[in-house]
Amino acid sequence: MKRVVIVGGGFGGLNAAKVLGSRPGVDVTLIDRKNHHLFQPLLYQVATAGLSPADIAAPIRGLLAGHRNVRVLLGEVTKIDLAGRTVAVSAERFPYDYLVLACGAQHAYFGHEEWEEFAPGLKTLEQATEIRRRVLSAFEEAELERDPQRQQKFLTFVVIGGGATGVELAGAIGEMSRYTLARDFRTIDPTMSRVILIEAGPRILSAFAEKLSADATRYLEELGVQVRLSCMVTRIDADGIEAGGETTPAATVLWGAGVKASGIGAMLGSELDRQGRVIVQPDLSLPGRPEVFVIGDQAHCRDEHGEPLPGLAPVALQQGRLCARNILRDQRGEPRKSFSYLDKGHMATIGRSRAIGEIRRVRFSGFIAWLAWLFVHIYFLAGFKNRFFVILHWGWSYLTFGRGARLITSREWRSYPGSTGGDS
Amino acid sequence: MKRVVIVGGGFGGLNAAKVLGSRPGVDVTLIDRKNHHLFQPLLYQVATAGLSPADIAAPIRGLLAGHRNVRVLLGEVTKIDLAGRTVAVSAERFPYDYLVLACGAQHAYFGHEEWEEFAPGLKTLEQATEIRRRVLSAFEEAELERDPQRQQKFLTFVVIGGGATGVELAGAIGEMSRYTLARDFRTIDPTMSRVILIEAGPRILSAFAEKLSADATRYLEELGVQVRLSCMVTRIDADGIEAGGETTPAATVLWGAGVKASGIGAMLGSELDRQGRVIVQPDLSLPGRPEVFVIGDQAHCRDEHGEPLPGLAPVALQQGRLCARNILRDQRGEPRKSFSYLDKGHMATIGRSRAIGEIRRVRFSGFIAWLAWLFVHIYFLAGFKNRFFVILHWGWSYLTFGRGARLITSREWRSYPGSTGGDS
């Protein structure tokens, strides 16, 4: 019986466990810090009150309940002993014959870690509900505020980073203020709010063709989002931001500009790239350690042109399956296979009815792309129940322009930095 | 133009605002600490992972968006000046011609405020997700624990108070461990968990007829819940509880034993009852202050037999409507009406298919009562969307025995007292 320890229940780890589940000869332990698998591509919908946390997350235990040889543990890995082949969770040690590391990535602030407090990133459910709280609270503060300058500050939303996360956040906030909240307030007019998307490079969504970037920029502008390109952020604090020499007072700043791999990679003593990703062999194993695999956002793996693969859900999912199959090939005495990414295309959505997409050389944008995006995302949502309810929630929101999950839940709704609330 | 200030967006305040909304001659400001109206009767479903927060809560702004003369403010009332007729929210003062106080109640620990940390009550969404986290984390801890005694402690759930909240919590936890989680774990068997309901009086649900209390006790026992009657709790701490001279180690203790009215009542300098409720006139106004109304859980109002009315949603709802209509009667120069509670009956549910109910002198229990409970609660849920989605979520859970919202969301999933986890 081979003991396989998988660290991380994201797309990579979960799919590795599913392939190994119920196979004879393997005994799987999946360790995660969270009890739920998260459908990260839709996290921005939670942050902007379109969906509830439970719509895009499912308990890992429930997803793997049918695989009797898989054990799920909630815990944080504190040490990896490669020579002794054990993983430590607090005082407990788990011996392994195979180790799969699929610990994902988190936001990086390029040496400005002090910015995180003022500009949270979007990688976890907790961050999503925190962003939701900040965005909704800013409208509430503006409604209470009498000073026009401070009111404008509360109605200014800055999103840093023109990748998919930043574009989707900016589009959703623009849409929310234009449509959902338009009738809710009496003192302020939410449609007067400013949403600014800042990108350091010359265009947004640079992973897509130039024509599609231009389409996405136009869609954002139609929702009232101001797109600032080739603009570097030099300061973020409670007052707002400074970018391209210009100061913008803003109560809400969100970060979608950079990622770095999980710190667990550094425990391996192996070579890392600049983003902290572990450089892996073509079969996804650690150089010199064929029994250790690193996959997903945590791994630096090159495609056939020698380019590192992007940190996308389909890459992690396919890598999870491949490394599990390589473990099974070992058992059967067959040679391992190298990873080859089957690119089914990539997409990004802007607001309630626009998207852009690229499938190999085919490019599409607008409403048709949005429909395609909708179906692809619903199809890949883990667990049939979630898929079913997300369709309904979206159908409802689409027809009514509503956002049902507009909840501010926290002891202190005013506890974000930049608040000038007087109740402190 | 008469300025009406309503404090509190629960059943009382919301319905007062709806009656006054869009009426000529009144200008309404509704102030609440939270941005959402909460359907409290279903809060235990969030605490036990059956529903998501957004299913039972709706933004107050959204509910009142169509009433153009109603303004909603998110804020906490810090002072009430009865002589000057103003309400203060932080530094801001709101003058009123009429004041409606509908601030609700919170849990009371009978002078043992130190118990709150170990035994949270269930009045807010935050408390519900905290209880959900504690219950789900206890199963996770038990799965990791090797010492059988400590494992049993994690699998012991104590609910204090045999009123509707306590009975509904205990029933749902019993059902969750029997059905929902049964296949999810490998080391522990969730069906071996102990759920104990402790009631100081001689029977549970004492607001109902004796026969129905006995039925409810039997339904709880069928779900594996141990019901301890005439049992006083004398100690609650990180180790568990002491009740009736017996010590029970338990990691999860929940409180549903007593309530006290919001502290805002004490600002009035008027007579309060032992639970801190303001004693009001038959027209719901404050003695000597006809322009001030106190309603709902915050008010002590007697029925035709001289008995104080219970803290139930229908009482608050009807009082909200009556006090608003009395304000309108003042405008028309008509005499005010006294409050008379139209009792449409009361119900409590136990697990997935049992309930008890009493409508005037008609008593019913079992599956039929549960169906009735279901329809009544769905019918009264605020907002059509919520109603629609709750039906679907419940239908789904009923057919699959699932609980979709099994999320542990918190930075520190082990941060509850009584944890013996080693990662501190």
Side-chain angles (χ1 to χ4, degrees):
Chain A
M1 185 67 80
K2 295 290 181 186
R3 292 159 303 186
V4 182
V5 172
I6 301 171
V7 185
F11 287 102
L14 185 68
N15 282 285
K18 281 184 171 177
V19 169
L20 295 170
S22 311
R23 293 295 179 112
V26 286
D27 180 69
V28 181
T29 302
L30 190 151
I31 302 167
D32 200 295
R33 284 187 299 179
K34 305 276 181 185
N35 84 324
H36 50 270
H37 169 74
L38 183 62
F39 194 80
Q40 267 186 0
L42 289 179
L43 200 50
Y44 82 96
Q45 286 271 355
V46 174
T48 53
L51 293 173
S52 276
D55 294 330
I56 63 154
I60 300 171
R61 279 190 194 294
L63 295 172
L64 295 171
H67 300 290
R68 302 304 296 177
N69 63 332
V70 181
R71 190 177 168 212
V72 177
L73 287 180
L74 185 57
E76 185 150 4
V77 168
T78 45
K79 204 173 167 230
I80 293 171
D81 178 358
L82 289 176
R85 298 193 179 180
T86 61
V87 168
V89 175
S90 309
E92 188 104 29
R93 269 183 177 60
F94 296 92
Y96 64 76
D97 298 304
Y98 289 97
L99 176 64
V100 176
L101 294 175
C103 308
Q106 61 199 68
H107 277 285
Y109 288 84
F110 312 125
H112 285 283
E113 307 310 321
E114 75 278 11
W115 288 356
E116 184 167 10
E117 179 189 353
F118 307 105
L122 183 61
K123 281 282 176 192
T124 65
L125 281 181
E126 287 82 357
Q127 286 168 334
T129 49
E130 169 65 12
I131 289 176
R132 183 178 74 183
R133 188 183 66 74
R134 289 191 190 201
V135 171
L136 296 173
S137 296
F139 286 104
E140 297 292 339
E141 286 282 6
E143 177 83 351
L144 282 172
E145 185 60 63
R146 303 230 165 142
D147 178 79
Q149 252 185 319
R150 283 191 296 198
Q151 204 170 54
Q152 188 55 61
K153 180 184 161 185
F154 284 120
L155 290 177
T156 303
F157 302 87
V158 176
V159 180
I160 299 164
T165 300
V167 167
E168 287 169 341
L169 275 174
I173 296 171
E175 185 188 85
M176 202 196 313
S177 48
R178 289 244 153 167
Y179 301 105
T180 313
L181 300 177
R183 293 172 70 233
D184 278 10
F185 293 86
R186 299 291 175 264
T187 308
I188 57 161
D189 178 357
T191 65
M192 298 302 288
S193 59
R194 289 172 75 196
V195 185
I196 302 165
L197 178 67
I198 296 181
E199 165 59 38
R203 61 187 179 101
I204 62 169
L205 298 169
S206 58
F208 292 81
E210 276 195 43
K211 195 245 164 205
L212 294 180
S213 291
D215 286 347
T217 304
R218 188 161 43 82
Y219 299 149
L220 283 171
E221 285 166 354
E222 283 167 12
L223 291 170
V225 177
Q226 199 182 317
V227 181
R228 288 196 203 155
L229 300 172
S230 307
C231 181
M232 287 290 287
V233 174
T234 46
R235 180 176 60 75
I236 307 177
D237 59 23
D239 295 326
I241 62 147
E242 191 185 76
E246 193 183 330
T247 298
T248 307
T252 312
V253 185
L254 308 177
W255 185 262
V259 290
K260 64 171 183 234
S262 158
I264 285 179
M267 292 182 189
L268 303 176
S270 187
E271 195 187 349
L272 306 179
D273 71 5
R274 281 200 310 169
Q275 290 167 48
R277 294 183 299 185
V278 178
I279 295 172
V280 294
Q281 306 278 84
D283 68 349
L284 305 175
S285 69
L286 198 64
R289 288 276 172 202
E291 76 280 13
V292 179
F293 295 90
V294 187
I295 60 174
D297 287 3
Q298 202 185 357
H300 175 112
C301 178
R302 293 202 162 84
D303 67 10
E304 62 266 39
H305 313 296
E307 290 293 312
L309 288 166
L312 295 173
V315 174
L317 188 152
Q318 293 174 26
Q319 290 184 337
R321 288 181 184 159
L322 182 94
C323 82
R325 288 185 187 130
N326 275 342
I327 290 171
L328 296 174
R329 282 184 191 104
D330 281 7
Q331 304 319 299
R332 297 191 300 260
E334 292 170 12
R336 291 182 177 186
K337 286 201 175 164
S338 293
F339 181 70
S340 160
Y341 176 47
L342 175 62
D343 185 357
K344 294 177 182 159
H346 48 164
M347 315 180 89
T349 180
I350 304 103
R352 67 190 290 269
S353 54
R354 295 285 178 267
I356 62 169
E358 225 171 28
I359 297 179
R360 306 209 171 218
R361 298 224 175 141
V362 183
R363 291 164 196 162
F364 47 108
S365 57
F367 185 68
I368 294 297
W370 182 79
L371 278 182
W373 174 88
L374 198 69
F375 283 109
V376 166
H377 280 77
I378 287 169
Y379 182 79
F380 281 106
L381 254 187
F384 174 61
K385 182 199 155 177
N386 286 347
R387 218 178 280 169
F388 174 70
F389 281 96
V390 166
I391 294 173
L392 288 172
H393 281 290
W394 275 350
W396 188 272
S397 301
Y398 189 81
L399 292 174
T400 63
F401 285 89
R403 287 185 173 262
R406 299 207 302 283
L407 304 181
I408 301 178
T409 51
S410 158
R411 257 159 245 262
E412 298 297 327
W413 68 276
R414 264 171 162 166
S415 64
Y416 60 101
S419 163
T420 56
D423 62 348
S424 53
Chain B
M1 187 66 81
K2 295 290 180 184
R3 293 159 303 185
V4 182
V5 172
I6 301 172
V7 185
F11 287 102
L14 185 69
N15 282 285
K18 281 185 170 175
V19 169
L20 296 169
S22 309
R23 294 295 178 111
V26 286
D27 181 69
V28 181
T29 302
L30 190 150
I31 303 168
D32 200 298
R33 285 187 297 179
K34 305 277 180 182
N35 84 324
H36 50 270
H37 169 74
L38 183 63
F39 194 81
Q40 267 186 0
L42 289 180
L43 200 49
Y44 82 97
Q45 286 271 353
V46 174
T48 54
L51 293 172
S52 275
D55 294 330
I56 63 155
I60 300 171
R61 280 190 194 293
L63 294 172
L64 295 170
H67 301 290
R68 303 305 296 177
N69 64 332
V70 181
R71 189 178 170 214
V72 178
L73 286 179
L74 184 57
E76 185 149 6
V77 168
T78 46
K79 204 173 163 226
I80 294 171
D81 178 358
L82 290 176
R85 298 194 179 179
T86 60
V87 168
V89 174
S90 309
E92 188 104 29
R93 267 181 179 62
F94 296 92
Y96 64 78
D97 299 303
Y98 289 98
L99 175 64
V100 177
L101 294 174
C103 308
Q106 61 198 69
H107 278 284
Y109 288 84
F110 312 124
H112 285 283
E113 307 309 321
E114 74 278 10
W115 289 354
E116 184 167 10
E117 179 189 353
F118 307 105
L122 182 62
K123 281 282 177 193
T124 65
L125 281 182
E126 288 82 354
Q127 286 167 335
T129 49
E130 169 65 12
I131 289 176
R132 183 178 74 183
R133 189 183 66 72
R134 289 190 190 202
V135 171
L136 296 174
S137 297
F139 285 104
E140 297 292 341
E141 285 282 6
E143 176 83 352
L144 281 172
E145 184 60 62
R146 302 228 167 146
D147 177 80
Q149 252 185 320
R150 284 191 296 198
Q151 203 172 52
Q152 187 55 59
K153 181 184 161 186
F154 283 120
L155 291 177
T156 303
F157 301 87
V158 176
V159 180
I160 298 164
T165 301
V167 166
E168 287 169 341
L169 275 175
I173 296 171
E175 185 188 86
M176 201 196 313
S177 47
R178 289 242 153 166
Y179 300 106
T180 314
L181 299 178
R183 292 172 69 233
D184 277 10
F185 293 86
R186 299 290 177 262
T187 307
I188 57 161
D189 178 358
T191 65
M192 298 300 290
S193 59
R194 287 172 77 195
V195 185
I196 302 166
L197 178 67
I198 296 181
E199 166 58 38
R203 61 189 179 98
I204 60 171
L205 298 169
S206 58
F208 292 82
E210 277 197 41
K211 196 243 163 207
L212 294 180
S213 291
D215 286 347
T217 305
R218 187 160 44 82
Y219 299 150
L220 283 170
E221 284 167 353
E222 283 168 12
L223 291 170
V225 177
Q226 199 180 318
V227 181
R228 289 196 202 156
L229 301 172
S230 306
C231 181
M232 287 291 287
V233 174
T234 46
R235 181 176 61 75
I236 306 177
D237 59 23
D239 295 326
I241 63 147
E242 191 185 77
E246 194 182 330
T247 299
T248 307
T252 313
V253 184
L254 308 176
W255 186 262
V259 290
K260 63 171 183 236
S262 158
I264 286 178
M267 293 181 186
L268 304 176
S270 187
E271 195 188 346
L272 306 178
D273 70 4
R274 281 200 309 170
Q275 290 167 49
R277 295 181 299 186
V278 179
I279 295 172
V280 293
Q281 305 278 84
D283 68 349
L284 304 176
S285 70
L286 198 65
R289 287 277 172 202
E291 76 280 12
V292 179
F293 295 91
V294 187
I295 59 173
D297 287 4
Q298 202 186 356
H300 175 112
C301 178
R302 293 204 162 84
D303 67 12
E304 62 267 39
H305 313 298
E307 291 292 312
L309 288 166
L312 295 173
V315 174
L317 186 152
Q318 292 175 27
Q319 290 184 338
R321 288 181 185 159
L322 182 93
C323 82
R325 289 186 186 130
N326 275 342
I327 291 171
L328 296 173
R329 282 185 191 104
D330 280 6
Q331 304 318 299
R332 296 191 301 260
E334 293 170 11
R336 290 183 178 185
K337 285 201 176 163
S338 294
F339 181 70
S340 161
Y341 175 47
L342 175 63
D343 185 357
K344 293 177 184 160
H346 49 165
M347 314 179 91
T349 180
I350 304 104
R352 68 190 289 270
S353 54
R354 295 285 178 268
I356 62 170
E358 223 170 29
I359 298 178
R360 303 205 174 221
R361 297 227 175 138
V362 182
R363 291 163 194 160
F364 46 107
S365 57
F367 185 69
I368 295 297
W370 182 80
L371 278 183
W373 175 89
L374 198 70
F375 284 108
V376 167
H377 280 78
I378 288 169
Y379 182 78
F380 282 105
L381 254 189
F384 173 62
K385 181 197 156 179
N386 286 348
R387 217 178 280 170
F388 173 70
F389 281 96
V390 166
I391 294 172
L392 287 172
H393 280 290
W394 276 349
W396 188 273
S397 301
Y398 189 80
L399 293 173
T400 62
F401 284 90
R403 286 186 171 264
R406 298 205 302 282
L407 304 182
I408 301 176
T409 51
S410 160
R411 255 160 246 261
E412 299 296 329
W413 66 278
R414 265 173 162 164
S415 64
Y416 60 101
S419 164
T420 57
D423 61 347
S424 56

